[in-house]
Amino acid sequence: MADLTALESKIGEVLGLAMAAQGATEKVGKLVEAEGGHDDLRRTLERMDEEARETEERTTELAGNLDGKKTAILEKARETKQEATEMMSTYLGDDADALEGFEFLTMAEAGEVGHWSIVGKMNERAGVDGLEELVGWVTPIQHKHFEQALTGSIELAADEDPNEPA
Ligand SMILES: [Fe+2]
């Protein structure tokens, strides 16, 4: 398999995070659904899921244009997806509630913001074809996801009785 540059490896990571994000929004959506109400949060999660899918599609397309690197980038992406999914299973055990789901999502979205910022910075010198445009499209979306995850966490925290047994 082709060796990846540092930047190509990071592209694999953001792709893997976009794949994992779809599993995360689905899982957290189920936790919210199980508690009932909060239709606004469920709609937000559906939109996040769609945007994660679009991020995956666009990033896969970009990887496909990097001569001979697509397979290795997808391999890196699958590795990252698996690691992120394992992290989610560790964080969200069988008794996880919607608030814990949103806490996890806040961390995951912050991770995406960070990784895309790194890709953008590294690409300033590498100038990979089409990547600046992709970064320009994705970065504000990931910032929005982070804000939405944080806002959702706070909305759910407001419903909690702080004095009830944990
Ligand atoms: Fe995201």
Side-chain angles (χ1 to χ4, degrees), residues 109 112 142 145:
E109 294 299 339
E112 287 195 273
Q142 297 307 333
H145 287 175

Side-chain angles (χ1 to χ4, degrees), residues 2 13-14 53 91 101 110 112 122 128 152:
E13 287 178 15
V14 289
R53 186 172 312 116
Y91 198 91
E112 287 195 273
M122 288 172 88
V128 169

Side-chain angles (χ1 to χ4, degrees), residues 5 22 72 85 116 134:
T5 65
Q22 294 165 62
T85 304
W116 277 103
L134 180 62

Side-chain angles (χ1 to χ4, degrees), residues 17-18 21-22 25 48-49 51-52 55 105 108-110 112-113 116 138 141-146 148:
L17 292 178
Q22 294 165 62
T25 51
M48 283 168 85
D49 184 55
E51 286 167 345
T55 301
L105 212 54
E109 294 299 339
E112 287 195 273
V113 168
W116 277 103
V138 180
I141 290 174
Q142 297 307 333
H143 277 278
K144 183 185 73 176
H145 287 175
F146 171 71
Q148 288 171 327

Side-chain angles (χ1 to χ4, degrees), residues 69-146:
K69 300 294 184 86
K70 186 180 183 182
T71 307
I73 289 174
L74 288 180
E75 176 71 18
K76 177 77 193 171
R78 275 189 288 271
E79 252 176 59
T80 302
K81 179 194 176 182
Q82 177 152 5
E83 286 166 8
T85 304
E86 279 166 16
M87 211 188 291
M88 178 169 77
S89 308
T90 304
Y91 198 91
L92 300 176
D94 291 338
D95 57 350
D97 61 14
L99 177 58
E100 285 162 326
F102 264 84
E103 286 170 359
F104 175 77
L105 212 54
T106 306
M107 292 193 295
E109 294 299 339
E112 287 195 273
V113 168
H115 275 76
W116 277 103
S117 304
I118 290 162
V119 167
K121 179 47 81 177
M122 288 172 88
N123 191 49
E124 283 178 12
R125 281 206 274 160
V128 169
D129 237 9
L131 186 52
E132 189 182 344
E133 193 194 344
L134 180 62
V135 168
W137 176 79
V138 180
T139 306
I141 290 174
Q142 297 307 333
H143 277 278
K144 183 185 73 176
H145 287 175
F146 171 71

